[in-house]
Amino acid sequence: MDKIIIFDTTLRDGEQAPGASLNQKEKIEVARSLAELRVDVIEAGFPISSKGDFESVKDIARNIKGPVICGLSRSIKKDIDAAYEALKPAKNPRIHVFLATSKIHMKYKLKKAEDEILRLAVEAVTYAKKLCPDIEFSPEDASRTEKEFLHRVVEAVINAGAGTVNIPDTVGYSEPEEFGRIIKGIKENVVNIHKAVISVHCHNDLGLAVANSLAAVKNGARQVECTINGIGERAGNASLEEIVMSIDTRKDIYAGLKTGIIKKNIYKTSRLVSKLTGFVIAPNKAIVGGNAFRHESGIHQDGVLKERSTYEIIRGEDVGFQVEGLVLGKHSGRHAFSERLKKIGFHLNEEQLNKAFENFKNLADKKKDIFDDDLRTIIEDEITIARIPVWELVNFRASSGTEIKPEALVQLRKKGNILKGSSFGDGPVDASFKAIDKIVNIKGSLEDFRLGAVTSGKDALGEVILKLKIKDKVASGRGTSTDIVEAAIKAYLDALNKVHSK
Ligand code: KIV
Ligand code: ZN
């Protein structure tokens, strides 16, 4: 079997998506989940771009074992030095150097001619190679680069020591046949190509990122750069789960190829990334959307009951999506609870289990039937980001009605002190947010606000995901409760605490 190397760039290109920004603790949490998913390479960030990015890459390099840890760098010495410094603690570090090679980029952005670009690329790779044995080079905007020049650059950087040459479709302009031909052209025309792995990195501006990546695989690419849920610059990157499941499902077409991904961890990782970035997954999103394994039409349901393969090409449970309905209730014990958690992919330590069980019992008091998605929600709250919040909700009271002015009274705790605030508003949520603004003495503006139900039923857990902007800082927040005003307050405080930690 030939292995397809899965290079995950959720923490670099994914995090470049507008509004996706993650703090250091969240990045390490995502990196841990990616390691459990068994991605081969984690692109942890762009160390020169900010002090925060540098520290996050370093933290990941120090703490995450298993995958190669990679840092991005322009073809500039100070970038390469920063990447090297940040990656030093990693067992297997990789420096990813890039330089644009298309006519448009060379003329307007870099204002340099071909020979100079070639020289800079070779110089950068040679320099990086002295610091780190594993070097990847990307000719940015490769799909719009003159073929002959692209071949010259690829050959030169391999001679300079690049072990991976990554061919990006930077602006998502290519289409599958054409992109496949580009990879074939490289294989056939670059004399030393056997000394390097061909990688691809496709953006989704025309919705073709996954199709282009797979076309490249068919033509000899053996590394695919992708992100969880396909997040990334503009319309995003190729989605990891779609690439992995395509290769796995169509073994007839991708004969002899496999990835090392632990499929049953896909759904869990997808939810984590969605939760931390605040990017809600569309219900019809392939592989990880809420509807991806649900059958609505009577004909389909009938077919599936008779023979699953009539309408199912992937089993939800293979990617960690349990379609099982009712699970636990008020009288369920700790053993049943912990067994169920294991079944849906959570292995908690004693302390986490105690806290999660307490949360479960509290929820079961308010909600009769506890579904897997309810469990996931309370567990994710417990095990992710052991962040010590600056502001904590003590209690609140909110009133609204057709004939009264909505009002809220909120009490928060900060370092052991209880602070109170009250306000009127357009509704109970608005009034609560205004009361919080008064207590913290900062006015946040709401960039996005979404309310949904985690499961079905009138007593379902409500989930609020929002984006809060305070001065130039934007953070996402998420809160759940059977009371939607409480869920909104929790989400607001979650975002507020993130802004504080920034
Ligand atoms: O899209 C792109 O070209 C990139 C490179 C830095 C690989 O993200
Ligand atoms: Zn990119």
Side-chain angles (χ1 to χ4, degrees):
M1 288 292 244
D2 234 0
K3 184 163 180 197
I4 302 296
I5 299 164
I6 296 295
F7 176 115
D8 182 278
T9 182
T10 306
L11 293 171
R12 200 277 297 169
D13 217 327
E15 212 244 352
Q16 278 172 226
S21 83
L22 301 171
N23 65 31
Q24 195 168 328
K25 282 186 182 139
E26 290 168 330
K27 286 185 184 171
I28 198 97
E29 206 59 50
V30 171
R32 195 160 287 133
S33 190
L34 292 171
E36 279 174 19
L37 187 61
R38 300 265 169 83
V39 304
D40 301 286
V41 186
I42 294 177
E43 188 163 48
F46 191 178
I48 195 76
S49 68
S50 70
K51 192 167 177 300
D53 237 43
F54 180 90
E55 291 302 331
S56 298
V57 174
K58 197 166 185 170
D59 199 13
I60 291 170
R62 187 180 298 125
N63 293 301
I64 303 299
K65 309 284 173 240
V68 169
I69 308 297
C70 175
L72 185 67
S73 159
R74 286 171 300 182
S75 292
I76 301 174
K77 274 191 181 171
K78 71 171 178 13
D79 280 36
I80 299 170
D81 288 338
Y84 169 65
E85 276 305 317
L87 293 167
K88 248 185 196 166
K91 185 160 177 242
N92 298 307
R94 175 182 295 185
I95 300 178
H96 177 187
V97 184
F98 74 98
L99 184 61
T101 51
S102 66
K103 275 204 165 130
I104 301 182
H105 279 233
M106 289 192 296
K107 182 171 171 194
Y108 296 106
K109 188 178 85 174
L110 301 172
K111 300 186 188 347
K112 294 194 188 327
E114 281 188 354
D115 285 349
E116 171 133 42
I117 293 289
L118 191 70
R119 182 181 66 75
L120 290 172
V122 168
E123 236 175 61
V125 172
T126 309
Y127 181 70
K129 185 78 179 180
K130 287 195 185 120
L131 302 174
C132 177
D134 185 354
I135 302 300
E136 170 167 330
F137 179 81
S138 289
E140 191 191 7
D141 205 16
S143 54
R144 294 193 299 173
T145 297
E146 300 293 299
K147 301 293 166 294
E148 202 231 335
F149 184 52
L150 180 62
H151 298 162
R152 271 174 64 207
V153 172
V154 169
E155 184 180 333
V157 294
I158 294 174
N159 279 337
T164 304
V165 277
N166 178 45
I167 308 301
D169 181 24
T170 302
V171 289
Y173 180 71
S174 213
E175 72 79 53
E177 257 182 59
E178 175 194 49
F179 198 63
R181 274 200 305 275
I182 293 175
I183 304 305
K184 190 162 186 264
I186 291 173
K187 277 206 87 135
E188 286 172 357
N189 294 292
V190 175
V191 288
N192 55 0
I193 196 65
H194 59 280
K195 294 188 184 159
V197 173
I198 302 179
S199 167
V200 286
H201 174 114
C202 297
H203 278 271
N204 205 29
D205 300 64
L206 293 173
L208 292 171
V210 169
N212 285 339
S213 306
L214 293 172
V217 165
K218 285 183 194 158
N219 282 282
R222 288 296 174 263
Q223 175 176 287
V224 178
E225 303 200 350
C226 43
T227 60
I228 300 292
N229 302 335
I231 63 168
E233 277 279 351
R234 308 179 308 278
N237 290 60
S239 122
L240 179 147
E241 57 280 6
E242 293 175 26
I243 301 276
V244 168
M245 291 315 291
S246 294
I247 294 171
D248 188 77
T249 308
R250 295 306 305 271
K251 293 195 177 70
D252 52 336
I253 291 187
Y254 302 99
L257 300 179
K258 68 167 174 37
T259 73
I261 295 296
I262 308 282
K263 290 180 289 170
K264 71 171 172 35
N265 286 347
I266 286 179
Y267 188 61
K268 195 170 81 168
T269 313
S270 157
R271 281 181 60 102
L272 178 73
V273 169
S274 165
K275 177 186 152 183
L276 297 182
T277 56
F279 285 4
V280 179
I281 302 167
N284 62 329
K285 162 82 179 66
I287 318 295
V288 291
N291 288 348
F293 304 102
R294 291 202 166 106
H295 304 277
E296 183 68 22
S297 133
I299 297 174
H300 290 203
Q301 286 174 350
D302 177 58
V304 168
L305 285 174
K306 286 175 177 148
E307 165 55 47
R308 223 175 158 165
S309 61
T310 49
Y311 287 100
E312 272 189 14
I313 58 162
I314 299 167
R315 295 184 317 162
E317 52 269 39
D318 289 348
V319 294
F321 181 97
Q322 300 284 334
V323 207
E324 218 161 308
L326 178 65
V327 214
L328 301 171
K330 194 174 169 159
H331 302 292
S332 306
R334 203 184 138 89
H335 182 68
F337 174 74
S338 93
E339 284 307 302
R340 188 69 214 157
L341 289 187
K342 282 183 203 146
K343 206 159 178 204
I344 59 173
F346 291 103
H347 299 269
L348 308 192
N349 63 33
E350 198 57 23
E351 195 189 334
Q352 290 168 330
L353 189 64
N354 289 343
K355 189 77 198 10
F357 189 59
E358 191 185 315
N359 290 350
F360 161 71
K361 283 288 179 188
N362 288 339
L363 181 62
D365 274 341
K366 298 181 192 152
K367 189 174 186 299
K368 191 165 151 271
D369 303 329
I370 309 282
F371 297 88
D372 281 346
D373 275 347
D374 292 319
L375 287 181
R376 282 193 189 95
T377 304
I378 53 176
I379 301 319
E380 284 164 0
D381 286 352
E382 217 32 68
I383 64 169
T384 55
I385 327 303
R387 199 190 304 128
I388 298 172
V390 181
W391 300 100
E392 271 179 290
L393 176 65
V394 179
N395 60 45
F396 79 99
R397 206 176 61 220
S399 53
S400 70
T402 45
E403 271 145 35
I404 58 165
K405 206 168 160 47
E407 188 185 7
L409 174 72
V410 179
Q411 288 197 27
L412 302 182
R413 185 183 297 111
K414 185 187 182 188
K415 293 188 187 151
N417 299 319
I418 307 285
L419 297 115
K420 288 182 197 170
S422 66
S423 178
F424 290 103
D426 283 347
V429 170
D430 182 47
S432 304
F433 290 176
K434 284 185 173 138
I436 295 173
D437 284 351
K438 279 189 188 168
I439 300 172
V440 303
N441 201 21
I442 297 172
K443 199 169 174 338
S445 67
L446 215 50
E447 303 270 291
D448 196 12
F449 181 96
R450 283 160 206 267
L451 168 67
V454 173
T455 52
S456 56
K458 285 183 185 154
D459 62 354
L461 264 183
E463 177 178 56
V464 170
I465 295 178
L466 54 75
K467 282 212 160 76
L468 179 68
K469 186 170 183 187
I470 296 177
K471 293 190 183 143
D472 58 338
K473 288 178 183 154
V474 181
S476 65
R478 179 178 157 280
T480 54
S481 169
T482 46
D483 178 322
I484 56 170
V485 180
E486 185 176 348
I489 292 175
K490 282 183 173 173
Y492 198 79
L493 291 177
D494 186 34
L496 195 67
N497 285 321
K498 282 188 198 168
V499 172
H500 269 269
S501 76
K502 282 184 183 183

